[in-house]
Amino acid sequence: MPNFTALREDFPTLAREVRPGVPLTYLDSTATAQKPRAVLEAMDAFYRRHNANIHRGIHTLAEEATAAYEGAREKIAAFINAPEAAQVIFTRNTTESINLVAYTWARANLKAGDLIVLTEMEHHSNLVPWQMLAAERGVELAFIPVTAEGLLDMAAYARLLEREPKLVAFTHMSNVLGTINPAGEMIAAARAAGAITLLDAAQSVPHLPVDVQALEVDFLAFSAHKMLGPTGIGALYGRRDLLEAMPPFLGGGDMIKRVDLDGFRANDLPHKFEAGTPAIAEAVGFGAAVDYLRAVGMEAILAHEQELTAYALERLAAVPGVRIIGPRAEKRGGVIAFVLEGVHPHDVAQILDGEGVAVRAGHHCAQPLHLCFNLPATTRASFYLYNTRDDVERLVKALAKVKEIFG
Ligand code: PLP
């Protein structure tokens, strides 16, 4: 088992104080993760030594930059066990990856009356692009309900599949409930019903082993910044035949093979979907983040976070007035959303910040899900590999302070 307490040393941010004498307790990794020195140094080294634009140059720096960028793609492809690196497209983030599918595959393949199945627990980024498509094309959206425990209603899902949806798009792990959905089983059922599948893996790829070939998923979207990498870069994995058949997304440099005044011929994968100068240093940082996660081990990271979450659930449940939403520990990853009776989540978060505890308050870009629980907002604590039981104790102690202030 890796030493999760010792690896905190790799993350400079974790050593800072929020204000003099108040150390940081970072419990907001679901929003974005802290970065290890290895990522910061890889990006710094790129800019210091190798900075050049990629693909187009034949000078040494351009070749080095291209190798670094394409090398990062290979690392990321291996991390999710993609059959080939060309099936991994760099985007800005999960949101852009999902929009890419909505604007290309979906607009080329779906027509009025076609059904898309989503769930009630989606982040807005896997909801709004489909609502936009529905408004434009008359495509119908249907939702797998969330049970009171915070799980997907599988019987309702089976009934929706009988209506032969064209696409089933859902989150692998909820960013509010922490629920880890049975993706393999759900994808197999969708495929048997003839649907294409898209997995929002923004919260799963950073926290648990994800194997696109074992899952047999058609599209998978995730963001570097939630998995120790920089902001500004994410990835879309896609099945080769689907990607090949899809029209390009954005037009411009690099995504073409040939252009004349009458038109253009699109480039091969993955470049067909990467118009313009991409986030090169960020790709290098993304690759370094994946190296770091691999070295620690995704099985070990998941086990650590689930053990910590089980402990936190127990400690928080013992705080009078706390109501936690979401399933029991075995069904979830390191996310805990809760409300404290009589105190608005924003007030909770503000007082916790005074104690150095960084949590998030609001609807966490999942407003429909909050409505399911009749809550306008929650406070959310989330864990990553660098969190320990000490962080949980600081959270519990800070909640006592909230109760003290609000009586
Ligand atoms: N999907 C889920 C489940 C998320 O948690 C998030 C971010 O919180 C996103 C999508 C969107 O990620 P990004 O903002 O990096 O595009």
Side-chain angles (χ1 to χ4, degrees):
M1 199 68 169
N3 185 336
F4 289 100
T5 303
L7 64 73
R8 288 174 62 85
E9 301 286 321
D10 297 336
F11 295 81
T13 320
L14 298 181
R16 68 160 281 187
E17 293 180 334
V18 197
R19 52 196 72 79
V22 183
L24 170 69
T25 301
Y26 190 73
L27 298 178
D28 196 20
S29 295
T30 292
T32 201
Q34 295 304 336
K35 320 302 174 198
R37 226 170 252 112
V39 168
L40 307 177
E41 285 166 4
M43 293 176 72
D44 187 65
F46 174 80
Y47 275 130
R48 282 177 193 276
R49 274 191 66 75
H50 312 290
N51 179 51
N53 211 332
I54 54 166
H55 296 149
R56 293 180 276 271
I58 46 166
H59 59 79
T60 303
L61 264 61
E63 283 175 2
E64 288 174 4
T66 303
Y69 181 76
E70 293 303 333
R73 193 194 309 277
E74 277 169 26
K75 288 177 188 184
I76 291 145
F79 190 65
I80 56 166
N81 196 30
E84 44 176 337
Q87 287 172 258
V88 172
I89 292 144
F90 283 128
T91 60
R92 279 192 307 139
N93 45 38
T94 306
T95 304
E96 189 176 286
S97 298
I98 295 171
N99 275 276
L100 193 162
V101 178
Y103 276 96
T104 61
W105 177 83
R107 277 168 173 77
N109 289 283
L110 303 187
K111 56 181 190 323
D114 283 345
L115 179 67
I116 296 178
V117 169
L118 307 169
T119 85
E120 286 179 344
M121 65 168 75
E122 295 315 307
H123 187 282
H124 296 163
S125 71
N126 193 33
L127 174 58
V128 178
W130 307 117
Q131 290 176 331
M132 289 162 72
L133 180 71
E136 186 187 307
R137 290 287 172 93
V139 164
E140 189 192 341
L141 307 181
F143 300 89
I144 308 173
V146 173
T147 67
E149 200 200 342
L151 301 173
L152 291 177
D153 179 340
M154 288 299 154
Y157 178 43
R159 286 192 296 277
L160 285 171
L161 289 180
E162 285 170 13
R163 295 177 53 199
E164 298 184 358
K166 292 287 189 298
L167 173 72
V168 174
F170 64 98
T171 188
H172 198 173
M173 174 169 144
S174 164
N175 64 313
V176 177
L177 305 169
T179 312
I180 299 173
N181 289 317
E185 183 190 319
M186 290 175 69
I187 289 164
R191 197 172 350 98
I196 293 295
T197 53
L198 182 150
L199 199 56
D200 173 351
Q203 297 300 341
S204 61
V205 168
H207 298 279
L208 49 105
V210 171
D211 178 332
V212 290
Q213 294 190 68
L215 284 171
E216 293 193 76
V217 69
D218 296 315
F219 295 109
L220 183 100
F222 53 105
S223 300
H225 71 95
K226 293 183 194 289
M227 49 193 288
L228 314 182
T231 51
I233 190 161
L236 172 71
Y237 159 82
R239 218 173 76 194
R240 181 174 257 283
D241 59 324
L242 294 173
L243 293 174
E244 297 265 15
M246 279 153 57
F249 179 31
L250 302 174
D254 233 29
M255 52 69 71
I256 48 85
K257 217 169 214 166
R258 204 198 132 77
V259 186
D260 59 31
L261 291 179
D262 295 325
F264 72 94
R265 219 167 83 226
N267 207 341
D268 295 329
L269 293 177
H271 313 296
K272 171 172 135 181
F273 293 108
E274 294 180 5
T277 300
I280 306 168
E282 286 76 7
V284 171
F286 195 177
V290 158
D291 285 342
Y292 188 95
L293 290 170
R294 280 194 101 142
V296 179
M298 293 310 293
E299 295 281 359
I301 290 171
L302 177 64
H304 170 73
E305 290 178 26
Q306 286 195 310
E307 189 276 330
L308 192 59
T309 305
Y311 177 73
L313 285 171
E314 213 179 284
R315 294 288 288 126
L316 287 173
V319 178
V322 164
R323 176 189 161 202
I324 297 164
I325 58 169
R328 65 209 117 104
E330 313 85 79
K331 299 269 184 188
R332 67 156 95 201
V335 183
I336 303 179
F338 61 94
V339 283
L340 184 59
E341 202 183 348
V343 190
H344 193 279
H346 283 112
D347 294 329
V348 174
Q350 199 151 13
I351 295 166
L352 294 187
D353 180 57
E355 302 300 302
V357 180
V359 295
R360 191 153 286 248
H363 53 63
H364 318 296
C365 297
Q367 271 187 307
L369 175 64
H370 277 77
L371 286 182
C372 294
F373 289 88
N374 232 343
L375 294 168
T378 52
T379 304
R380 181 184 72 188
S382 55
F383 307 117
Y384 210 176
L385 71 171
Y386 39 63
N387 291 113
T388 64
R389 285 188 176 210
D390 282 349
D391 294 327
V392 175
E393 290 311 323
R394 286 201 202 97
L395 169 65
V396 170
K397 199 164 153 216
L399 281 173
K401 180 93 177 201
V402 178
K403 288 175 69 79
E404 200 182 294
I405 291 171
F406 279 85

